[in-house]
Amino acid sequence: SQKIEQNSEALNIQEGKTATLTCNYTNYSPAYLQWYRQDPGRGPVFLLLIRENEKEKRKERLKVTFDTTLKQSLFHITASQPADSATYLCALGGKLIFGQGTELSVKP
Amino acid sequence: NAGVTQTPKFQVLKTGQSMTLQCAQDMNHEYMSWYRQDPGMGLRLIHYSVGAGITDQGEVPNGYNVSRSTTEDFPLRLLSAAPSQTSVYFCASSASLVVSSYNSPLHFGNGTRLTVT
């Protein structure tokens, strides 16, 4: 069956470091993949969309890679700040199926 | 610009009661959808609509009904609430105009937290 997996363990990093989150999928051949940010008590907010022919996409301190051979997307936040602390979700597929999200905590 | 508005924010129901979760968007989006979010399970698609008068089932449709009489509104009805429906419900919309374009970004409301006792 189709499956999207994100690291369920929270990621704790120090301010200024680069955070790297992983999204793996099986039994999909998505044309594109999306990343969202979710703060407690709020709905997810769209961050980035990457297409299968775009190996990498950047937006300010955010970088997303998409490897269709490995069936994996990596989401990087460089020079991380405490304000980046949130849960990050990847989503793909025709009806936008979501991973369970990875909680990121950036300590000052 | 309000975006996607969900009401109520919180609701407690007894088993067997019915209720409607409201969702409205003011962005003239054709695509609207309902998700539920449970700990450790991520967001799961309940129902979606690609325009007024058109709805379809998602991954977990059982126990829920939807209708789309206008572009702006997409209510979710629980006909007979069960404790398994305790969850946070999110409504989302997208500017996609055709079925094959589901993958334009979703705009989410801030959710309804539902508890069924």
Side-chain angles (χ1 to χ4, degrees), chain B residues 11-74:
Chain B
Q11 183 70 49
V12 179
L13 290 179
K14 293 189 189 307
T15 298
Q17 287 185 317
S18 63
M19 80 158 296
T20 300
L21 280 64
Q22 301 292 344
C23 175
Q25 53 91 8
D26 61 0
M27 297 171 283
N28 202 32
H29 285 172
E30 292 291 338
Y31 180 81
M32 296 186 74
S33 55
W34 277 101
Y35 289 86
R36 60 178 288 175
Q37 187 172 39
D38 302 290
M41 301 195 71
L43 287 156
R44 292 183 291 168
L45 182 65
I46 305 172
H47 285 285
Y48 63 97
S49 168
V50 298
I54 307 168
T55 63
D56 206 347
Q57 296 180 349
E59 182 186 358
V60 288
N62 293 339
Y64 307 96
N65 279 356
V66 292
S67 60
R68 185 95 178 270
S69 56
T70 66
T71 298
E72 294 77 22
D73 300 298
F74 190 42

Side-chain angles (χ1 to χ4, degrees), chain A residues 32 34 36 38 43 93-94 96, chain B residues 35 37 48 102-103 106 109-110:
Chain A
Y32 28 101
Q34 300 184 22
Y36 289 76
Q38 186 174 22
L96 270 188
Chain B
Y35 289 86
Q37 187 172 39
Y48 63 97
Y102 285 151
N103 274 284
L106 285 174
N110 281 324

Side-chain angles (χ1 to χ4, degrees), chain B residues 73-109:
Chain B
D73 300 298
F74 190 42
L76 178 72
R77 279 181 286 277
L78 284 70
L79 298 178
S80 179
S84 60
Q85 294 179 303
T86 294
S87 187
V88 182
Y89 291 85
F90 288 100
C91 178
S93 72
S94 169
S96 298
L97 294 179
V98 294
V99 169
S100 60
S101 299
Y102 285 151
N103 274 284
S104 55
L106 285 174
H107 299 257
F108 283 85

